[in-house]
Amino acid sequence: MDKQTITIYDVAREASVSMATVSRVVNGNANVKPATRKKVLDVIEKLDYRPNAVARGLASKKTTTVGVIVPDVTNMYFAQLARGIDDVATMYKYNIILTNSDSNNEKEVKVLNTLLSKQVDGIIFMGNEINGKLREEFKRTKTPIVFAGSVDEEDLYARVNIDYVAAVQEEVKNLIDRGNRRVAFVCGPLEQAINGKFRLKGYKQALKSAGIPYDEKLVFETDDTYKTGTLLQPALMAVNATAAMVTDDELAAGIMNGMSDADVKVPDDFEIITSNDTKLTEMVRPKMSSITQPLYDIGAVAMRLLTKLMHNEPVDEKNVLLPYGLMKRESTK
Amino acid sequence: MDKQTITIYDVAREASVSMATVSRVVNGNANVKPATRKKVLDVIEKLDYRPNAVARGLASKKTTTVGVIVPDVTNMYFAQLARGIDDVATMYKYNIILTNSDSNNEKEVKVLNTLLSKQVDGIIFMGNEINGKLREEFKRTKTPIVFAGSVDEEDLYARVNIDYVAAVQEEVKNLIDRGNRRVAFVCGPLEQAINGKFRLKGYKQALKSAGIPYDEKLVFETDDTYKTGTLLQPALMAVNATAAMVTDDELAAGIMNGMSDADVKVPDDFEIITSNDTKLTEMVRPKMSSITQPLYDIGAVAMRLLTKLMHNEPVDEKNVLLPYGLMKRESTK
DNA sequence: GATTTAAGTGAAAACGTTTTCAATTTGCTG
DNA sequence: CAGCAAATTGAAAACGTTTTCACTTAAATC
């Protein structure tokens, strides 16, 4: 407990300079005579002095730490985003406080507040349902926030995404063009804007363009889990769907395996296209065709954007859309 | 920038008490008259005061933050551990600074030092090669450290694992008993003690018990990636292996898919057993048989152990071994 | 060599808490 | 109602930095 810590004051005394000077050399301030700098550096080395980041944070009001709120790191989609975030954070000398929210609103609010109390310099938020309470909390803080892979209907916050509407529309169109008249839309909670307002919109637009009436029975609102996917086959068959546009890879994998287990051949009897292009798409058999998103980059760009915000640099566009694509694998014809 | 923050002093003035009293009510200290407590609480509410955790950390020398060093969150094995850690950390009011090391020694040392400079109250380390420099750094800090899913040959640090030797031995024995005379051992870097000293030992012991001579050609040292796994089929066939004990699920999935793509039937022509029992084992086809490890629990128990260390509570056993098992799925006969 | 300017340095005041210690109140006991 | 212990409170000193401002010193100019 009584660890005798070496402070800046010890260094100052030992090098017979003032704390201010030590602080200057530690922070690479130019206004120090080379000779003094060397002297101080030597003492630092000798005493093995390590600046205390907490004290530094209090004095400078910068913690070089950012908060990252994620639904669940255990989901590859978010894990890959998180990795992108951490890598560029490290690049800019920031660290990340990572917290799992389970997309639970109460937890999100709570964790946001503890992050703010810890004086993080910025926040990256993932999660797509920004309801009243949470939005309020977002609004009252001056700490920069950016959303990663998460939409903001109100267009208030910086964020980086792909064009979900266009991507889904395009792929559903492809499905239709290949002869599928009954394309299911299997998604996570519709309350989440990314599903309910964006992807669903793309789905509807594709139907409309093809002159196919929208049939509510074809949309399946789920919880985005593998398990749920495996149980969906009977329901999908019951509505005569011949293809599905799925919004999550684990969910899609579940559906696909459920189909295979029920002897429904993918893609011959049922086509599946998924949305996140995580590693998983390559690991399952058949490999899943997917909308491609630069997951790592979404995280990386979001973090980069956040550094700009934190340093008061101008940002040209706060709604960043990264390019998407289609990776045709084996779950579509 | 000039965000007018409400400090404890503002609250004290407004409630006409001293800072000390405010501090007491904020920290739930019992020695406050109920009436004063209420008065202070009201002012806190009214002013919307939020304690500054950085100042608090400086004064109390506790940051309620722990550092977590992980090779790569993008690997499900670690993601699941991390999730366990975060959940119990939250339970005990801690937050987690998560950093990816890529098992790179230089990065590990660097990140450890920045975590220490940030005055984390404890550290959870994942990674299995504790070489000179890193070990040195570990030794010189008084900050509690626990290893999660990571062995320590020197038996110095608290850690939570399963009995890798026994688990591997048991499963290799099963493979042999089923008639496999040529069982390959496919692992990550042998430099890492968990592979080179523990699992390999179990493998050798199983061979020995069965009177099968150890053949170096049957051990494949890899980098634990899916991609590498997919390329291994020819080499495995070349040495006439009929089964493989694999140390990582993604790697195993790669091998299995490589086999299937080369028309080698799993498990009829080649049996595979993997080691981590991540979600992935259920998603691939055939589903992979695996040594089961309570991944989430390893993380959770590690964090729980760390809280004890941080609070100077006695710990009965610093080398915690959680139970393992075997989940027979479809990649073994 | 006197004067001006720039470079280098230090003293001390923040930063927003916790914590120690002493002082004051309060509640009991007899 | 004196006397004492217990319960409440406040003043002020940490905690380990950064940062401002004024002061020296060294260099540059004429």
Side-chain angles (χ1 to χ4, degrees):
Chain A
M1 306 302 83
D2 48 346
K3 38 157 61 157
Q4 26 63 47
T5 44
I6 311 280
T7 74
I8 201 174
Y9 183 73
D10 299 319
V11 176
R13 182 164 27 72
E14 188 76 11
S16 27
V17 297
S18 72
M19 290 165 39
T21 299
V22 178
S23 176
R24 284 189 190 97
V25 350
V26 168
N27 291 293
N29 185 312
N31 287 350
V32 183
K33 201 186 339 186
T36 345
R37 178 187 307 281
K38 173 150 183 12
K39 188 171 57 177
V40 172
L41 250 19
D42 286 349
V43 174
I44 286 179
E45 170 83 2
K46 175 177 145 205
L47 263 39
D48 191 33
Y49 164 71
R50 317 278 187 96
N52 177 325
V54 172
R56 215 200 275 242
L58 181 59
S60 68
K61 291 168 172 283
K62 303 226 162 308
T63 53
T64 61
T65 302
V66 311
V68 175
I69 302 174
V70 77
D72 182 11
V73 242
T74 261
N75 181 314
M76 282 226 197
Y77 174 72
F78 295 115
Q80 291 187 229
L81 288 190
R83 186 63 214 262
I85 294 170
D86 187 41
D87 281 0
V88 350
T90 302
M91 204 171 299
Y92 284 89
K93 315 265 188 217
Y94 283 89
N95 284 111
I96 265 171
I97 297 186
L98 195 278
T99 58
N100 298 90
S101 70
D102 292 315
S103 293
N104 175 126
N105 229 259
E106 216 170 306
K107 277 196 204 175
E108 287 170 338
V109 170
K110 193 163 163 193
V111 93
L112 174 61
N113 279 320
T114 99
L115 288 174
L116 292 176
S117 82
K118 292 207 172 173
Q119 314 298 121
V120 294
D121 295 337
I123 288 183
I124 294 192
F125 179 84
M126 292 169 247
N128 282 295
E129 202 191 335
I130 323 289
N131 79 350
K133 181 68 177 160
L134 183 61
R135 204 169 262 286
E136 235 173 69
E137 297 289 343
F138 276 152
K139 268 177 188 150
R140 67 196 255 188
T141 176
K142 282 193 165 183
T143 305
I145 298 176
V146 359
F147 290 10
S150 305
V151 297
D152 170 28
E153 314 169 55
E154 288 192 10
D155 191 25
L156 277 176
Y157 299 99
R159 56 201 185 275
V160 2
N161 290 286
I162 64 166
D163 185 339
Y164 304 105
V165 179
V168 170
Q169 176 172 9
E170 204 173 316
E171 299 319 326
V172 173
K173 175 178 188 308
N174 287 340
L175 249 17
I176 294 172
D177 288 351
R178 251 182 266 121
N180 294 286
R181 303 289 298 174
R182 308 259 319 150
V183 177
F185 178 71
V186 187
C187 60
L190 285 168
E191 290 174 327
Q192 298 185 4
I194 194 174
N195 295 316
K197 311 252 167 161
F198 289 69
R199 287 167 170 152
L200 185 57
K201 185 172 171 195
Y203 172 73
K204 285 180 176 171
Q205 284 180 358
L207 292 182
K208 192 166 178 194
S209 301
I212 301 180
Y214 171 66
D215 179 355
E216 220 171 30
K217 288 208 189 63
L218 282 167
V219 351
F220 293 79
E221 183 177 5
T222 76
D223 59 359
D224 268 351
T225 63
Y226 175 80
K227 179 81 180 157
T228 300
T230 60
L231 305 173
L232 239 43
Q233 181 265 339
L236 253 7
M237 297 291 97
V239 296
N240 298 313
T242 60
M245 169 82 236
V246 187
T247 65
D248 179 90
D249 291 358
E250 291 193 18
L251 179 62
I255 294 174
M256 200 175 64
N257 285 336
M259 290 290 168
S260 301
D261 291 349
D263 266 323
V264 176
K265 300 277 176 265
V266 175
D268 294 341
D269 302 336
F270 196 89
E271 296 191 59
I272 293 178
I273 178 152
T274 185
S275 297
N276 294 340
D277 199 42
T278 57
K279 307 190 209 176
L280 190 56
T281 57
E282 299 257 333
M283 296 182 182
V284 294
R285 287 302 138 88
K287 297 177 189 167
M288 294 188 289
S289 299
S290 179
I291 290 172
T292 62
Q293 303 188 38
L295 295 185
Y296 179 93
D297 294 347
I298 290 177
V301 170
M303 182 63 210
R304 177 65 185 104
L305 186 51
L306 185 59
T307 63
K308 286 187 185 166
L309 259 21
M310 292 187 297
H311 300 153
N312 294 309
E313 293 169 22
V315 319
D316 18 300
E317 174 59 63
K318 68 180 182 180
N319 182 18
V320 179
L321 289 180
L322 261 28
Y324 65 88
L326 168 71
M327 185 66 215
K328 160 95 181 69
R329 295 198 184 86
E330 305 161 357
S331 67
T332 52
K333 292 183 210 163
Chain B
M1 305 308 83
D2 48 342
K3 39 159 60 157
Q4 26 62 51
T5 44
I6 312 278
T7 74
I8 200 175
Y9 183 73
D10 298 320
V11 176
R13 182 164 27 73
E14 189 76 10
S16 29
V17 296
S18 72
M19 290 165 41
T21 298
V22 178
S23 176
R24 285 189 192 99
V25 349
V26 168
N27 292 293
N29 185 311
N31 288 350
V32 182
K33 200 178 355 178
T36 355
R37 180 186 307 282
K38 171 148 182 17
K39 187 172 58 176
V40 172
L41 252 16
D42 287 348
V43 174
I44 286 178
E45 169 83 3
K46 174 176 146 206
L47 262 41
D48 191 35
Y49 163 72
R50 316 280 186 97
N52 177 325
V54 172
R56 213 200 279 241
L58 182 58
S60 69
K61 293 171 172 280
K62 304 229 162 303
T63 53
T64 61
T65 302
V66 310
V68 175
I69 302 175
V70 80
D72 183 11
V73 241
T74 261
N75 180 314
M76 281 226 199
Y77 175 71
F78 295 114
Q80 290 189 230
L81 288 191
R83 186 62 214 263
I85 295 171
D86 187 41
D87 282 0
V88 349
T90 302
M91 204 171 298
Y92 285 89
K93 314 265 189 218
Y94 283 88
N95 284 112
I96 264 172
I97 298 187
L98 196 277
T99 57
N100 298 90
S101 70
D102 291 314
S103 292
N104 175 126
N105 230 258
E106 217 170 307
K107 277 195 204 173
E108 287 171 336
V109 170
K110 195 164 161 190
V111 94
L112 173 61
N113 280 318
T114 98
L115 288 174
L116 292 176
S117 82
K118 292 206 172 173
Q119 315 298 119
V120 294
D121 295 338
I123 288 184
I124 294 193
F125 179 83
M126 291 169 248
N128 282 296
E129 202 190 336
I130 323 288
N131 78 351
K133 181 67 175 161
L134 183 60
R135 205 169 262 286
E136 235 172 70
E137 297 287 343
F138 276 151
K139 270 178 189 152
R140 67 195 257 187
T141 177
K142 283 194 166 186
T143 305
I145 299 177
V146 358
F147 291 9
S150 305
V151 297
D152 170 28
E153 313 170 56
E154 289 191 11
D155 191 26
L156 277 176
Y157 299 99
R159 56 202 185 276
V160 3
N161 291 285
I162 63 165
D163 185 340
Y164 303 106
V165 179
V168 169
Q169 177 173 4
E170 203 172 317
E171 298 321 325
V172 172
K173 176 176 188 309
N174 287 341
L175 249 17
I176 293 172
D177 287 353
R178 252 181 267 120
N180 295 286
R181 303 289 298 175
R182 310 262 316 150
V183 177
F185 178 70
V186 188
C187 60
L190 285 168
E191 290 174 326
Q192 298 184 2
I194 195 174
N195 294 316
K197 311 249 165 163
F198 289 69
R199 287 167 170 153
L200 185 57
K201 186 172 169 195
Y203 172 73
K204 284 179 175 171
Q205 285 180 357
L207 292 183
K208 194 166 175 195
S209 300
I212 301 179
Y214 171 66
D215 180 355
E216 218 173 30
K217 289 207 189 65
L218 282 167
V219 351
F220 293 79
E221 183 177 6
T222 75
D223 58 359
D224 270 349
T225 62
Y226 175 80
K227 179 84 179 155
T228 300
T230 60
L231 305 173
L232 238 44
Q233 180 267 340
L236 251 9
M237 297 291 98
V239 296
N240 299 312
T242 60
M245 169 81 236
V246 186
T247 65
D248 179 90
D249 291 358
E250 291 193 19
L251 179 62
I255 294 173
M256 201 177 62
N257 284 336
M259 290 290 168
S260 301
D261 291 350
D263 265 324
V264 177
K265 299 281 177 262
V266 176
D268 294 341
D269 303 336
F270 196 90
E271 296 191 60
I272 293 178
I273 178 152
T274 184
S275 297
N276 295 340
D277 199 41
T278 57
K279 305 191 210 178
L280 190 55
T281 56
E282 298 257 332
M283 297 183 182
V284 294
R285 287 302 139 91
K287 296 177 190 168
M288 294 189 288
S289 299
S290 178
I291 291 172
T292 60
Q293 303 188 39
L295 295 185
Y296 179 92
D297 294 346
I298 290 178
V301 171
M303 183 62 209
R304 177 64 185 104
L305 186 50
L306 185 59
T307 62
K308 286 187 184 165
L309 260 21
M310 293 187 299
H311 300 153
N312 294 309
E313 293 169 22
V315 319
D316 18 296
E317 174 59 64
K318 68 180 182 180
N319 182 19
V320 179
L321 290 180
L322 261 29
Y324 64 87
L326 167 71
M327 186 64 215
K328 160 97 181 67
R329 294 197 184 87
E330 306 161 356
S331 67
T332 51
K333 291 184 214 164

